[in-house]
Structures are given as C-alpha cells and as structure tokens.
C-alpha cells in the first residue's frame, strides 16, 4: 500500500476534537459494558476503576487506531484506490487479536496489520454485516501455549516470596517502577516512608494464550442502534481484545495472587502500570479491595497540549498524582519535581562540540495524540516530518559538523518495521552507538543532545538539569495550552526549538561554541521559564513526596 495512505494527512483540529469527543464518550460506555461482561465471564466483581487499569490503555488505543483506520478506508474508497488494500488473505481466514497491550502496539506499527484492519473494514462495508468465523479459523493457527515456568524460575520466586514475607511484613506501601534518580535516593524515600526496601518490578515474560472461541462468544457487546462507525467499532471489539484479558485472565490473576506480592496493602506507588505484567493484575485486584493508588508522572509534554489521554487515564485511576512541577485544577494533582533525575549529575563536556542524537521511535502514524498526527501530516510518510527536516539539515551543514554527530538508536527500535536511525545510514560521517546504552549515562560526554520529538522523557530530564539540548519540532501552536504558548516562543527565539531544517542548519553552522550559546542570558531565561512550568528540578523533592504520601495515608486510613 502506498505511503500516502499509511499517513493520516490533512490534519484538521476541529475534526480531530470532534472525533476525540466521540471516542471519549464511546470509551466510557464500552468500558461499562466490558466491566459487566468480563466480571460475568471471569466470575469476579471488579469495579470500573480496576477494569480501567486492566484494559483501559488497550481500549483507548483500540478505539483511536481503528477509528482512524475507518476514516482512512473511506479516504481510500473516495479516491478510487481500494485496490491498494491487497496482499492479505481472505478476511475470514485471519483474526486481529493480539496477546497483550505491548504486542498490540507493535502490531499497529506493522503495515501488514494495518492492511488486515483495512481488509476487515472493506468486507464490513461491502457485505453490511460482520462474520465471526475468524474464531473457528483461529484454532487452526499456530498460537502459542502458556509458557510454563522452569524449575529454576519457580525456585527463585519461592525464595523471593519468603524474603518478602520475612522483611516486609510491616510494610503498608508497595513501590513499583517509581523511576527515582538512583539507588541511594530511592533508599532515602523508603526510609522516610518507614518502609523496608523491596523491589517488585522483576523481569517477566508475558505468556501466550490460545484463542478460545467458546469464551469470546460469551461476551455480549451491544451492536444495534448506533451510528455506522460506532457499530463497526463495536463489531471488531470482541475479535481484537488481547487474549491475556480473556483466555489468560484467570490464570494470570491466580498467579498474581499467589506470587511474592503481599496479600494486602494500603497504598500502591507507581509511575507505570500499563504493560500486562502480573503486577497489573495484582494492583487492580488490590484497588478493588480498598487499596489506594499514588501515581507519579513518567514522560514529557503532560502540561503542553489541549488534550492528553495519557494524563486523563492516569488521573482517573489514581487517588493522588505527583507531577514534575506543573499544577492542575484537580485537587488530587500535586506538583513535586523531576524525581527521576534526583541524585544524578550530567557534567558538561569540555567544549568538544560533540552532538548526541536520540531519535526515539517511529511510532504508528495512527496515533493517540494530536502532535504526533501533525508530525506525519506535512510529509505524508510513515516517518515523522522531523526526521526529514534533520536529513535536509545534514545536507546543508558543514561536513566537519556532521562528523561531530553520534546516534544512539532507541533500544526498542528493533521491534518496529520503520527504524528512524536507518534514515541516517547514508551519512558515513555519523557514528552509531550501541542502542542498549542508557543515554543518561553517556550524555556527559557530549556538549549538545539533539531530539527529533518534543515528547521525549530524556529531553525533559536533561533540560531540567540544565544540560544543553535542541529539539526539532513542528508548528504546534494551534494545539498548545494558552500558558504554554509564551514558553514555546521563548524556546524558539533561544534556538532550543527548531521548526525548520534551515533554522537548525543555521544554528549548527553559526554556533562556534555550544556552551557559550547555552550559558547566554537569553537561553538560560528560556530554560528557567520552561522548567518552572514543566519540569522543576527541586532538590527537596524526596521530602516533598514523602510528606505528601504520609499525609495522604493518614487522611485515608
């Protein structure tokens, strides 16, 4: 299929807001239905919040991606190019279910999976009905069984469980992926909260499960009396739900309850409960039994754009939300600081003018957030337009400047078909680093860090620590919050944000000393104002977080 159909071009804000409101409303109604149906199916009584934690991230991603594919199909049909939807077997002979949220996300970045979705949509519109024969076909496919734990893994888990029960019997807070700066700072937080230190986020493989047609046919989603698009989204729902929520749910929940997690806790503190690891099952079940959830920010641009479905989800599932410094009208949202860099230092390089480029991932163009749609809108490609701007820039800058550039690919890039780093292989002067290296451990060796996307967690971490950075951006002004627009213009004027390849190339060619530029009054003013509103570097952040959690615990129990 041609690239122009893989991009969601012709961005229209009013249409996007209208579609977004439609999906928000549908999300809540479908979550209500799924809550009832999955409780019946699995013989449990989970609350809507517990199911929101469990399936909410997938449901949102499903609605956004499939809704955009419906719009994309209509665009293809209106252009008379339906023949581009080819190369896939008859729609009845394949199914759309993934195993878990991570696999679903990877599927969405695959051209083959996009073609599968479009093929199903095409069949639906042509036949005006949907046939769930895919379930019968699924049993014939090479689905993987649940991976059994080895004897060694089982022994390790038993030992960990014994240690947890012995040392943590008096703990009433469970910490999971809190992303603190370093081990020492994390220990300080444990002691301030009077908890014995224990790590629950151990590495885990998510097992695979067979598709079970008898189970899926028990899920009754309403399919009549709605608009054509809503009917279609409802039709695809049961087919697409990951097997870890249907076929594997009871086994996963049972394993979570019998694992090394405590039988009961008062508070769960985490910054990431998205992936379908055992902890997610345990946490959802604990919250259903009365535990409270303290959630911390992990990621960038939380406070920049007019809508952020990621924050809306995290705000709804949490009882207390800790930010990197920005404020909200919600009483449960508390500004703290960038706790992920506490205790970490990023010493400046000694004027070697070396540049480290962190390209990120070329995620699916069927995106959930506005700025990503705009990233793909200009060039109508599977790659964001910032990538092309940088390529153009490299053709315009001096060769000696290109020799100063080092690229560290994203560690998860290997899982995606479209690899940003591959676009720069044609520049032999550029040196490539090992993708597995932690960027925060090597930035001290470079005078400047270059980013191809504004929503980079590492960018926010580094700029909060006053490490020189520049970002290639698009014109996001129409989707920025009002109080962010002045910051936006200051960052452009300070040459930290660059909207064009010409702007970036002029910056490289005209800036002889990167550290002098960064330490100038104009640049430092922009950095200070940006950090105050978005990512405050507060040395007392540990004490602040401990105080907020202790006060919250005393008020709640």
């Amino acid at each position: 299929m041609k690239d122009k159909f893989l991009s969601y071009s012709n961005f229209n804000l009013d249409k996007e807001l209208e579609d977004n409101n439609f999906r928000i409303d549908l999300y809540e109604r479908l979550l209500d239905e799924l809550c009832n149906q999955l409780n019946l199916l699995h013989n449990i009584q989970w609350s809507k919040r517990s199911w929101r934690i469990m399936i909410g991230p997938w449901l949102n991603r499903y609605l956004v991606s499939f809704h955009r594919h419906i719009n994309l199909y209509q665009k293809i049909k209106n252009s008379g190019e339906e023949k581009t939807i080819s190369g896939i077997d008859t729609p009845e002979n394949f199914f759309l279910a993934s195993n878990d949220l991570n696999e679903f996300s990877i599927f969405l970045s695959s051209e083959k999976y996009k073609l599968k979705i479009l093929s199903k949509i095409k069949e639906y519109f042509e036949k005006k009905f949907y046939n769930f024969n895919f379930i019968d076909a699924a049993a014939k496919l090479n689905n993987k069984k649940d991976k059994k734990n080895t004897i060694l893994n089982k022994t390790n888990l038993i030992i960990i469980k014994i240690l947890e029960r012995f040392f943590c019997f008096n703990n009433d807070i469970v910490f999971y992926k809190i992303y603190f700066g370093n081990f020492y700072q994390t220990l300080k937080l444990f002691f301030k909260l009077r908890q014995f230190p224990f790590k629950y986020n151990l590495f885990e493989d998510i097992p695979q499960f067979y598709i079970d047609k008898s189970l899926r046919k028990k899920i009754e989603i309403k399919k009549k009396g709605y608009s054509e698009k809503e009917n279609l989204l409802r039709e695809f729902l049961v087919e697409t739900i990951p097997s870890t929520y249907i076929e594997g749910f009871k086994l996963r929940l049972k394993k979570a309850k019998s694992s090394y997690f405590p039988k009961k806790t008062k508070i769960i503190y985490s910054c990431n409960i998205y992936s379908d690891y055992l902890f997610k099952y345990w946490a959802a079940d604990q919250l259903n039994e009365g535990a409270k959830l303290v959630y911390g920010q992990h990621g960038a641009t939380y406070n920049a754009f007019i809508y952020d479905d990621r924050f809306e989800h995290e705000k709804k599932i949490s009882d207390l939300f800790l930010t990197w410094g920005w404020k909200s009208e919600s009483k449960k949202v508390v500004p703290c600081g960038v706790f992920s860099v506490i205790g970490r230092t990023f010493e400046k390089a000694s004027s070697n003018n070396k540049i480290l480029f962190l390209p990120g991932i070329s995620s699916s163009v069927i995106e959930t957030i506005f700025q990503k749609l705009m990233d793909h809108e200009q060039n109508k490609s599977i790659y964001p337009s910032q990538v092309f701007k940088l390529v153009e820039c490299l053709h315009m800058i001096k060769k000696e400047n290109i020799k100063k550039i080092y690229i560290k690919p994203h560690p998860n890039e290997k899982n995606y078909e479209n690899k940003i780093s591959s676009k720069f292989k044609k520049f032999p002067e550029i040196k490539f680093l090992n993708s597995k290296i932690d960027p925060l451990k090597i930035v001290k060796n470079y005078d400047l860090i270059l980013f191809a996307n504004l929503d980079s967690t590492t960018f926010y971490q580094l700029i909060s620590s006053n490490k020189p950075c520049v970002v290639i951006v698009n014109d996001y002004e129409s989707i920025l919050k009002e109080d962010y627009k002045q910051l936006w213009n200051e960052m452009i004027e300070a040459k930290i944000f660059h909207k064009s390849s010409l702007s970036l190339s002029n910056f490289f060619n005209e800036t002889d000393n990167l550290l002098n530029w960064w330490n100038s009054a104009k640049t430092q003013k922009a950095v200070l104002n940006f950090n105050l509103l978005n990512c405050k570097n507060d040395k007392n952040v540990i004490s602040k977080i401990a105080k907020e959690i202790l006060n919250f615990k005393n008020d709640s129990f």
Side-chain angles (χ1 to χ4, degrees), residues 35 37-47 50-51 53-55 99 146 207-210 215-216 241-257 276-278 280-282 284-285:
C35 179
Q37 290 296 310
L38 293 176
N39 276 337
L40 288 172
L41 182 67
H42 300 310
N43 194 27
I44 57 175
Q45 291 297 320
W46 271 11
S47 65
S50 290
W51 280 115
I53 291 170
M54 194 74 240
I55 65 173
N99 187 69
D146 175 24
Q208 303 277 330
F209 297 95
Y210 278 118
L215 278 180
R216 299 210 170 214
I241 297 177
S243 55
T244 194
Y245 307 140
I246 307 297
E247 290 81 5
F249 181 84
K250 287 184 177 179
L251 176 62
R252 296 287 281 163
L253 181 59
K254 181 180 178 181
K255 283 187 176 181
K257 288 183 175 182
D276 297 314
Y277 297 123
L278 283 180
K280 188 178 184 181
Y281 293 80
W282 176 85
D285 193 60

Side-chain angles (χ1 to χ4, degrees), residues 8-19 370 377:
Y8 193 79
S9 57
N10 303 320
F11 178 86
N12 181 291
L13 180 57
D14 290 336
K15 182 65 167 60
E16 286 301 325
L17 290 174
E18 179 184 334
D19 285 350
F370 293 147
E377 188 258 346

Side-chain angles (χ1 to χ4, degrees), residues 341-352:
V341 297
I342 291 299
R344 306 187 74 158
T345 57
F346 310 109
E347 299 91 347
K348 297 175 182 177
S350 55
S351 300
N352 56 32

Side-chain angles (χ1 to χ4, degrees), residues 179-418:
Y179 300 126
F180 255 59
N182 60 28
F183 178 72
Y184 173 69
Q185 302 300 327
T186 305
L187 280 182
K188 284 178 64 176
L189 180 66
F190 272 97
F191 294 140
K192 283 180 178 290
L193 291 172
R194 306 180 198 103
Q195 305 292 307
F196 187 88
F198 195 85
K199 181 179 180 180
Y200 288 96
N201 53 308
L202 301 178
F203 180 78
E204 171 193 351
D205 285 325
I206 299 175
Q208 303 277 330
F209 297 95
Y210 278 118
I211 299 297
D212 187 332
K213 62 181 180 181
S214 62
L215 278 180
R216 299 210 170 214
K217 287 182 177 179
K218 290 179 181 180
I219 303 173
E220 298 179 357
I221 300 296
K222 299 174 184 177
K223 299 174 185 175
K224 293 183 180 180
Y226 304 101
S227 67
E228 189 172 48
K229 285 186 179 181
E230 181 169 339
N231 276 334
L232 199 156
L233 289 167
R234 288 172 170 272
E235 289 281 8
F236 284 143
L237 187 67
V238 176
E239 172 178 352
T240 314
I241 297 177
S243 55
T244 194
Y245 307 140
I246 307 297
E247 290 81 5
F249 181 84
K250 287 184 177 179
L251 176 62
R252 296 287 281 163
L253 181 59
K254 181 180 178 181
K255 283 187 176 181
K257 288 183 175 182
S258 63
S259 185
Y260 52 86
F261 305 123
K263 293 293 183 183
K264 192 170 182 64
T265 191
K266 287 184 177 180
I267 291 177
I268 298 168
Y269 175 27
S270 178
C271 297
N272 187 345
I273 312 180
Y274 280 87
S275 297
D276 297 314
Y277 297 123
L278 283 180
F279 182 85
K280 188 178 184 181
Y281 293 80
W282 176 85
D285 193 60
Q286 287 289 310
L287 293 171
N288 193 63
E289 296 298 321
K292 303 294 183 181
L293 177 61
V294 176
Y295 211 90
Q297 177 181 343
H298 175 60
T301 67
Y302 270 74
N303 194 40
F305 299 105
I306 56 179
Y307 183 75
D308 185 342
D309 54 4
R310 168 193 50 178
F311 172 55
E312 292 303 316
H313 168 74
E314 293 169 0
K315 184 172 65 173
K316 286 177 181 176
I317 66 172
S318 63
D319 297 287
L320 181 67
F321 189 90
L322 309 177
T323 80
W324 283 359
W326 51 272
K327 299 178 182 179
S328 169
E329 295 178 358
S330 174
K331 293 181 180 179
K332 71 168 68 173
V333 177
V334 178
C336 294
V338 188
F339 37 82
S340 59
V341 297
I342 291 299
R344 306 187 74 158
T345 57
F346 310 109
E347 299 91 347
K348 297 175 182 177
S350 55
S351 300
N352 56 32
N353 279 352
K354 287 168 61 178
I355 300 167
L356 176 64
F357 175 40
L358 302 175
I361 295 175
S362 181
S363 56
S364 169
V365 296
I366 310 298
E367 265 294 350
T368 60
I369 44 182
F370 293 147
Q371 74 266 27
K372 289 292 188 182
L373 295 172
M374 297 182 77
D375 290 347
H376 291 272
E377 188 258 346
Q378 295 181 13
N379 56 291
K380 299 178 175 58
S381 167
I382 54 179
Y383 291 98
S385 58
Q386 294 97 312
V387 172
F388 292 90
K389 289 179 182 179
L390 181 54
V391 171
E392 290 176 357
C393 168
L394 293 176
H395 285 295
M396 291 188 281
I397 66 175
K398 302 170 185 175
K399 184 162 287 189
E400 56 264 32
N401 286 334
I402 299 179
K403 292 179 180 179
K404 298 173 183 176
I405 297 176
Y406 296 73
I407 293 181
K408 194 209 81 69
H410 194 283
N412 295 330
E413 189 183 62
K414 62 181 183 297
N415 297 326
Y416 293 82
E417 286 184 357
N418 308 310

